[in-house]
Structures are given as C-alpha cells and as structure tokens.
C-alpha cells in the first residue's frame, strides 16, 4: 500500500469515482470525480488532534461497526493516503455556533470547509477493472438470527475481533458480555451454494478462511473448542490441505452437516442448535458461546454502474465476463480492458495477485507495442447508399458506430471488433464488411449449390468463427462421425448472417439452412447473437408467409468445446434435410426469386426517392447560404 | 485459363494419411483444375511444412497467382501460417483462403470415402469462389496512449498498478473509498502464509 503512495509513476486518486469513459482500445478518455475530503491531503500529517475534539460519534465501518469513529477521521491507521477526511453528512459544520472545533486545533491549517469536488480528465490506452467484491450480508437468514442474537457474528467481524488493531485490541470476546468465548462454532456456506439464500456458486475462499480462523484461535487461546459445520471442505490450493490437517491436529472438530436453525438462550445468550452429522448419521445437539457465520462473497452492488461505464458484460453469477473462460481469463471481450481480482470471480489473495500480475502483463503487451493493428474485418459505410437511419449504430454491441439523427453513420475502427451485426441489420446494403462481404458469402452459397443433381444433399450451415466453426473442429479432433451433408460457411459471428443471405441460400436450392453461434453468455461480441435470434424469428415468420416450411431454417448454439453437440446437430438436421422434397425445393426457389426481385425493386425505388430529396436539399443549401 | 477471373492457385494437402486416408485427393485435385479461374493446382503431402510452403511461393511466381486456396486443415490452426507464406511471396495475406478438408471432412467421415471426397470438392469450390471475390486488405494501425487507468485499490488493483508502473507506464489508480486497501485491509491474517494482510 505504501509503495503505491510513493511510486513516481502512480497517481493515486482516492475518494474518487470514474464518471465517464469514452473512446476505445489505445485511447480511452476518462473523467474522474475526486470528491472533496475537506482536509488537504498534501498538508495533513495525521496528528489526530482534530479527532480528539470532534463531538460526533459514528459506527466505524473499518471495524465493522464494533467501535466508533468521529466525523473527522482516518479510515484506519495505515491508510494510504495518510490523511484525514470529514464526513460532511454527519459533521456539525463550520458554523461557530454549531461547531468548527477541528479548525481551531489544526495547527497545519489543512481543514478547508470550502473544498469542492474536482473533475479530472485522463487519456489512457488501457483499463484494469479491479473493483472487487462485496461480502454477503446474512441478515435475511432469520433462522441464524444474525443481527438479533448478540453472539452470532460474521467471519468479517471475526477478523476485526481477533486483530490486534481491532476494537478490542485483539482480545477475542463475545459482543453480549465482553467475556472470552470457550466454545465457538463456524457455519460454512452461508450465502454460498444455496438456491434459497445468497448465491448458488461456491465463494471459493470461505473454507480456507475458516481453517485459518480456527488456527488463529488455537494459537491465541489453546483452551477454546472450535467446531466447524460444513457441506464439503474445499482445500484445493497449494498448501491448503496441510493447513486443514493442522487445524484438525489442533483439536478443531469438523462436523459434516449444516444446522437449519439457531436458538438463543435468553439468560446466558449462548446459542443452541441441532444438526445431523451426515458422516455418522447421528443427530447432534450443540450449545456454543459464539457462532461465526462463514459468509460468502457477492458481486459489488455498484457493478452495474461499472458495467455501463465500460460497456462490458456479466456472467450468470453477476461477476464480469472474461473474453474466454480458459484462454483469455484476464481480458474483457472489449479490447483494452482487463480484469484483476474479484471483479471477475471470487478469489483469495494469491489468486487476486496472480490475476493482477497477468492483467499487468497484458497491459504491457498492448501498450509497449506503441501502436496496434486490428483485423481488417471492420465495416465500410457507403455514403451514397447510407440513408442515415441509425439501425447499425443501434445494434452495435461495442458502440463503435457513431450516428446522430440526419447524419451519416461513422465507424470507429478501433472500437469495432468485426462481428458484422451492422451489415446484417442495414436495410439499404450500405455496409460492406471487409473480408466478409455479401458478395463473398453469396459466392460460397452459389458454389455449394451449383450442382443441380446433388443440391438436395447440402445442409447449408453458417457457423461463427469462435464457437460453432470451432465446435466442428472439436468434433474432428475427437473423430466423431456424422453424416457428410453439412457445408459450413464461416462468419466471424452469427450476427453477420443477414436475413437476405439465408433467403438467398434457399433461393439457390438449399433444402435446409442452419445458423449456428455461441451460447448467449459466450458470444464473443458481447451480445450480438441476440440480434441473430431476432433475425431468425423474423425469418421464420417471413418463410411461413411465403408458404415455405419454417422448420427448414434452424438455429443452434454450439460452443467450441461441444464437438458432441455439433455431431448430434448434424445428425438430427440431416434427417430433417432428407425429408425435404424436390417439389418443395423447386417451389421455394421460384417463390424466393420472385420475392427478391420485388424486394430489390422496392428498395431501389425507396432509395431513389431519398436520394432525390437529398439532391434537392443540396441544391437549395448554397442558395440559402448566399448573402 | 482464368477467364478474366483472378488467377487462382489451389494447394491440396494430403496431411499424410489424415486427409488422403479418407478423401481421394487426386480426384479432388483434378476437380479443382476445372474450376473457373484456377490457373494451377498443386498436390502436396504436407502443405504446412517448409517444402509445401516453398511450393506455394514457387507457384505464385511461376503462374503469377493472384488468389491462393489451401485445402488442408482448419484455418483456426494454419491461417496465420499460410497468410505469412503468401505475403512472403508478395501476395496480400487477405487473398489467401482455406478449405477445411481435415477437421470438417476426412476426420469426421472416416467410413465414407466417396461422400467425403464429394464434400471435399464442395469445400474447395466454395473456397475458390470466395477467394476470387476477396479484396486485399491493410490492417488498420492505431497509436496507443502510454497510460493506464486502474479502477479499484484493493489487493488486485494495488498489484496491477505497481506492476504496470514498474514497467514504465503512467498509472492512474482510482479508489472510491478514502484509502486504498479494500477488503484485504480489514483482514487480520491471510492464508496460507498466516501473515499480516497490510
């Protein structure tokens, strides 16, 4: 912590919040609000004279409310920056009648009640998201009586009570009577691995934290009897099993079973419960002096704000989503943004440090190059064809298209990842995806369906580069066998596949068309595949209206790991393909050729109308501008 | 004859027996020769190996090839290899296209050599059609700011900020609370070392 404060290349903005982020990889523009502390950071030497005279007492957040602090305070003695601040919500203010006592005693004159918030603009090439996690609040579990029973505490409160710098100076006592507890129980998985309370996931750190706590107790007070009530002890890391065994050797009793309800003795404030020891099958009755709830961790409550600011995604558990769970666990799907620590998933100190080091390396790799290249798969907008409707900007998952009403859409290449959603959405064919043009994709469709006699054998499949095409590769690597009729056309994302491309495949004689992409949470373009769903649903309606069986178009999510699913989909769809008759195909080709001719004529007329308007406006403008 | 289409070279890879064990690569190569715009077809044992890559470079020079189709394995493995190969022979890397005859064909249709061979032909025809419509591309270059924003000053933010700053870059560490330290600063001891958190 101290190293951060004195590092020549680290500008620490404490008590500050990011308010705005724009730009993209290599050049983000960031605005930070540095909140007024009302104490000058550069002058304050933490002499503590001000606190001595402050008349306001409030619960101390750092000590988990187990002691009090003043309205002018320092969060904890080792705080960095080492400076006091005033909590103005509770301060009586700089009013001579009300208070202002701290002003009088501050010899260095660093208290400034007129201090204002400061807005700071920064230009950065990369962003590391290390926003951490919250600790689960077990108040909702009424069965455990946290907040009602004095001697039921959380594992965070345990930390403060056992700490030499804590409210009791490290003397471990019961909140009800200040006496040292002899019989202490730890209940595991509070708010974790539960569908009823807290979260369904394992919080990763609580087992080992309890093992550590029991060792601290055994060290400080060898006469205490600690019991741990658990579902499973997950001691999977390096050296963890050793610690667990040391805890057992120290006499800690591990009981496999979680109590359902705790009762408090109104006299002694002791805690009683019955629990089934699932290893012995016996019901056990316990009376304890203190119960520690080993609470899990949750995504931060303000993570929605960070998500919105940075335009990043979350996985189902509420933590931020990495670009790939195995291969890019540190990168956000948006280039130039990296994760460190618990913002991405619950982690202990070692894993947080490891991920932070990895994030730092990735930042260095990105920035040390000085300049970066991006794949030439970005869109080009044809200014003549663009009708300024803004649909492309609305579906871009990366906000990489700038558009204002009445203006031409403009691509920010650095922010674009090349999914092609915009090109598929554009109603005027005004967007050309580099390296994945309509012309190129149509060329592939034509080549696959060129041979009239075998046309009915072809299952035209659009597969996204990251998941479904790769899922096909996995099927190959695993040598899974399936019918030979699939013909894959690779796109970067399933969202590149426009309705017109699918119709074109049917028009050229495809008996079946499959569009396949990544599962929702795995989309490599944040959520572009949501647009795929909408397009397929629209297509099903369109096909039905045209008298074409909608079942001939299928949508499947296949991940890169799902070789088996890929093979199964190929098997199932091949049976469906075989059932499509030659008459059906001939009818479809005829209907769609007509439909396309009409559609294209209509589009041309519409475009011509808008262009005529545009020309008229262009002729008027110079005349109006003339003096 | 290239019939006004870009002069295209097709390189059919046996991949030892990985492809040739199921797909009749000779028939496939003969089929490719008849595709419009195809100026030369080369049948290699291993296209990705140095001799195979040299054959691509030689054919580009000899036949003045403008588009290259490599019919071998998945582009997810060797697209980079063949892009670099054609670039070294003066062809824009975006003018190289692959047909996936191994993962998507020979490996998954082992017992069906005839149908697999037909599929391989389709995959090549599709790749050739695509290749002839490809345009040269220049990858856009972007300058990067030599500064980094770290949001959050807990143990992870602190570690990341220190590492990045030690590496010579300017770091802005933004912390919502009045002090850095995060949850870690509230812990007494940390496992597995059982030492102080601050």
């Amino acid at each position: 912590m101290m190293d951060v404060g004195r590092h020549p290349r680290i500008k620490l903005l404490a008590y500050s919040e990011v308010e705005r982020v724009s730009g993209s990889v290599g050049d983000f523009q960031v605005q930070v609000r540095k909140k007024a502390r009302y104490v000058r950071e550069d002058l304050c030497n933490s002499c503590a004279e001000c606190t001595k005279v402050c008349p306001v007492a409030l619960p101390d957040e750092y000590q988990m409310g187990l002691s009090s602090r003043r309205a002018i305070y320092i969060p904890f003695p080792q705080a960095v920056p080492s400076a006091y601040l005033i909590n103005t919500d509770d301060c009586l203010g700089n009013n001579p009648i009300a208070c202002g006592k701290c002003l009088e005693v501050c010899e260095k004159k660093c208290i400034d009640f007129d201090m204002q918030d400061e807005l700071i603009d920064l230009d950065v090439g990369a962003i590391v998201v290390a926003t951490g996690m919250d600790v689960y609040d077990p108040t909702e579990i009424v069965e455990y009586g946290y907040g009602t029973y004095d001697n039921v505490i959380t594992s965070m409160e345990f930390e403060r009570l056992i700490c030499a710098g804590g409210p009791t100076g490290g003397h471990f006592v019961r909140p009800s009577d200040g006496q040292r507890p002899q019989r202490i129980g730890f209940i595991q998985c509070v708010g974790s691995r539960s569908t009823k309370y807290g979260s369904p996931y394992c919080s990763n750190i609580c087992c080992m934290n309890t093992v550590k706590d029991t060792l601290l107790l055994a060290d400080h007070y060898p006469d205490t009897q600690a019991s741990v009530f658990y579902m499973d002890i997950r001691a999977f890391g390096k050296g963890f099993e050793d610690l667990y065994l040391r805890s057992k050797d120290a006499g800690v009793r591990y009981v496999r079973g979680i109590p359902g309800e705790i009762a408090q003795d109104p006299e002694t404030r002791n805690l009683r419960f019955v629990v089934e020891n699932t290893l012995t099958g016996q019901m056990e009755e316990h009376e304890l002096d203190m119960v520690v709830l080993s609470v899990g961790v949750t995504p931060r409550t303000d993570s929605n704000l960070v998500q919105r600011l940075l335009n990043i995604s979350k996985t189902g558990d509420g933590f931020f989503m990495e670009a790939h769970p195995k291969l890019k666990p540190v990168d956000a799907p948006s280039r130039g943004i990296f994760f460190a620590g618990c913002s991405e998933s619950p982690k202990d100190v070692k894993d947080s440090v490891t991920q932070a080091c990895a994030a730092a390396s990735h930042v260095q790799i990105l920035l040390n190059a000085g300049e970066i290249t991006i794949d030439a798969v970005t869109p080009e907008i044809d200014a003549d064809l663009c009708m300024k409707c803004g649909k492309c900007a609305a579906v871009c998952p990366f906000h990489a298209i700038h558009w204002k009403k009445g203006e031409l859409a403009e691509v920010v290449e650095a922010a674009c990842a090349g999914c092609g959603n915009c090109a598929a959405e554009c109603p005027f064919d005004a967007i050309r995806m580099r390296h994945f043009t309509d012309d190129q994709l149509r060329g592939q469709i034509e080549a696959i369906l060129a041979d009239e006699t075998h046309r009915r054998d072809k299952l035209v499949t659009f597969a996204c580069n990251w998941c479904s095409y790769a899922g096909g590769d996995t099927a190959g690597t695993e040598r899974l066998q399936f019918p030979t009729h699939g013909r894959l056309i690779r796109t970067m994302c399933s969202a590149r596949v426009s309705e017109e491309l699918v119709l074109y495949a049917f028009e050229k004689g495809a008996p079946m068309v499959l569009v396949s992409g990544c599962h929702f949470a795995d989309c490599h373009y944040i959520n572009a595949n949501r647009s795929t769903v909408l397009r397929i649903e629209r297509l099903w309606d369109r096909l039905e209206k045209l008298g074409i069986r909608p079942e001939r178009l299928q949508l499947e999510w296949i991940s890169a790991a799902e070789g088996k699913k890929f093979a199964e989909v190929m098997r199932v769809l091949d049976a469906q393909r075989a059932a499509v008759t030659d008459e059906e195909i001939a009818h479809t080709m005829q209907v769609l050729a007509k439909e396309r001719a009409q559609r294209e004529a209509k589009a041309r007329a519409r475009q011509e109308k808008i262009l005529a308007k545009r020309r008229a406006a262009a002729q008027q403008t110079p005349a109006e501008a003339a003096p | 004859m290239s019939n006004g289409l870009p002069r295209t070279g097709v390189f059919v890879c046996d991949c030892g027996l990985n492809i040739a064990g199921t797909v009749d690569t000779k028939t496939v190569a003969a089929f490719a020769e008849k595709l419009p715009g195809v100026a030369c077809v080369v049948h290699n044992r291993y296209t990705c190996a140095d001799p195979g890559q040299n054959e691509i470079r030689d054919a580009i020079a000899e036949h003045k090839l403008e588009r290259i189709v490599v019919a071998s394995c998945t582009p997810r493995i060797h697209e980079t290899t063949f892009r670099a190969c054609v670039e070294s022979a003066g062809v824009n890397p975006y003018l190289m296209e692959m047909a996936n005859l191994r993962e998507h064909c020979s490996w998954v249709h082992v017992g069906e050599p005839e149908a697999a061979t037909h599929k391989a032909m389709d995959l090549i025809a599709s790749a050739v059609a695509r290749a002839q419509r490809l345009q040269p591309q220049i990858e856009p270059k972007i300058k990067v700011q030599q500064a980094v924003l770290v949001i959050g000053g807990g143990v992870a933010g602190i570690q990341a900020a220190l590492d990045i700053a030690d590496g010579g870059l300017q770091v802005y560490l933004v912390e919502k609370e009045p002090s850095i330290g995060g949850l870690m600063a509230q812990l007494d001891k940390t496992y597995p070392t059982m030492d102080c958190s601050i």
Side-chain angles (χ1 to χ4, degrees), chain A residues 393-423:
Chain A
V395 297
C396 176
F398 298 90
H399 303 301
I401 299 183
H402 285 177
W403 172 80
K404 274 186 204 148
K405 205 173 174 191
E407 285 183 18
L408 286 174
E410 192 189 328
V411 179
V412 185
E413 283 211 328
C416 172
C419 64
N421 200 7
C422 54

Side-chain angles (χ1 to χ4, degrees), chain A residues 129-188:
Chain A
V129 181
T131 45
M133 63 193 179
D134 280 341
V135 177
Y136 175 68
D137 176 359
T139 310
E140 65 170 343
I141 312 179
V142 286
E143 295 92 323
Y144 286 168
Y146 176 72
T148 312
Y149 305 157
D150 295 337
N151 297 324
V152 174
I153 65 167
T154 67
S155 37
M156 279 308 284
E157 287 162 345
F158 178 95
E159 293 294 335
R160 299 320 306 151
L161 281 174
I162 197 101
C163 182
T168 54
H171 298 290
F172 193 71
V173 294
R174 304 208 305 175
S176 69
D177 52 15
Q179 296 300 305
R180 189 161 72 75
Q182 297 285 331
R183 299 163 299 176
I184 303 168
F186 291 83
I187 300 178
Q188 295 305 109

Side-chain angles (χ1 to χ4, degrees), chain A residues 83-386:
Chain A
Y84 279 62
L85 74 152
I86 296 174
N87 184 336
T88 45
D89 288 345
D90 304 299
C91 170
L92 300 178
N94 176 28
N95 181 333
I97 300 163
C99 190
K101 292 194 168 109
C102 53
L103 272 177
E104 292 163 19
V105 296
C106 181
E107 281 183 7
K108 297 197 78 181
K109 303 288 173 219
C110 36
I111 299 170
D112 175 7
F113 277 97
D114 298 324
M115 196 182 273
Q116 299 285 319
D117 286 2
E118 208 181 322
L119 288 176
I120 299 166
D121 289 316
L122 308 171
D123 285 318
V124 298
I127 297 174
V128 177
V129 181
T131 45
M133 63 193 179
D134 280 341
V135 177
Y136 175 68
D137 176 359
T139 310
E140 65 170 343
I141 312 179
V142 286
E143 295 92 323
Y144 286 168
Y146 176 72
T148 312
Y149 305 157
D150 295 337
N151 297 324
V152 174
I153 65 167
T154 67
S155 37
M156 279 308 284
E157 287 162 345
F158 178 95
E159 293 294 335
R160 299 320 306 151
L161 281 174
I162 197 101
C163 182
T168 54
H171 298 290
F172 193 71
V173 294
R174 304 208 305 175
S176 69
D177 52 15
Q179 296 300 305
R180 189 161 72 75
Q182 297 285 331
R183 299 163 299 176
I184 303 168
F186 291 83
I187 300 178
Q188 295 305 109
C189 294
V190 176
S192 302
R193 302 178 71 192
S194 165
T195 47
K196 194 174 174 194
Y197 295 121
S199 313
Y201 53 79
C202 168
S203 286
N204 187 321
I205 54 177
C206 339
C207 282
M208 290 314 298
N209 191 60
T210 291
V211 169
K212 173 205 79 182
D213 290 348
T214 60
L215 285 169
L216 289 178
L217 284 173
D219 181 53
H220 295 3
Y221 311 104
D223 58 335
T224 48
Q225 173 55 55
S227 309
V228 177
F229 302 91
Y230 71 98
M231 279 196 243
D232 302 290
I233 291 295
R234 295 185 166 174
F236 51 84
K238 188 172 181 176
F240 290 6
E241 188 71 11
D242 284 348
L243 279 189
Y244 175 42
L245 295 177
R246 259 171 64 194
S247 167
K248 279 181 155 178
D249 286 346
V252 177
R253 201 169 161 246
Y254 282 81
V255 179
R256 190 164 175 271
I258 300 275
E261 198 175 353
I262 300 173
Q264 179 184 248
D265 185 317
E267 287 291 309
T268 61
R269 304 291 171 94
N270 286 349
L271 303 155
R272 290 203 191 96
F273 56 79
V274 177
V275 63
E276 184 191 355
N277 184 334
T278 58
L279 289 182
T280 61
Q282 303 292 311
M283 296 303 285
E284 294 184 7
E285 238 185 282
H286 290 268
E287 180 170 343
L288 301 168
D289 302 327
M290 181 184 253
V291 166
V292 182
L293 303 179
S294 185
V295 285
V297 297
T298 61
R300 279 189 65 98
T301 47
D302 58 3
S303 61
N304 283 341
L305 182 73
V306 178
Q307 181 185 18
R308 218 176 48 241
L309 277 171
L310 298 173
N311 191 27
I312 50 181
S313 313
K314 287 182 184 177
T315 36
D317 53 14
F319 291 94
F320 291 130
M321 189 173 86
E322 63 280 43
H324 188 281
K326 287 195 303 266
L327 304 174
K328 287 189 168 184
V330 176
D331 304 42
S334 304
R335 228 175 142 194
I337 300 175
F338 305 93
F339 298 119
C342 301
S343 61
E344 179 261 335
S345 66
K347 290 182 187 67
D348 62 14
V349 174
K350 177 185 171 181
D351 284 354
S352 294
V353 167
T354 306
Q355 200 189 20
C357 295
S361 306
H362 277 208
V363 165
Q364 297 283 1
I365 290 165
L366 181 73
L367 268 58
N368 279 357
E371 59 178 17
I372 48 171
T373 55
I374 51 177
D375 283 345
V377 292
T378 49
E380 290 171 306
I381 295 178
D382 186 325
D384 289 334
L385 295 179
C386 175

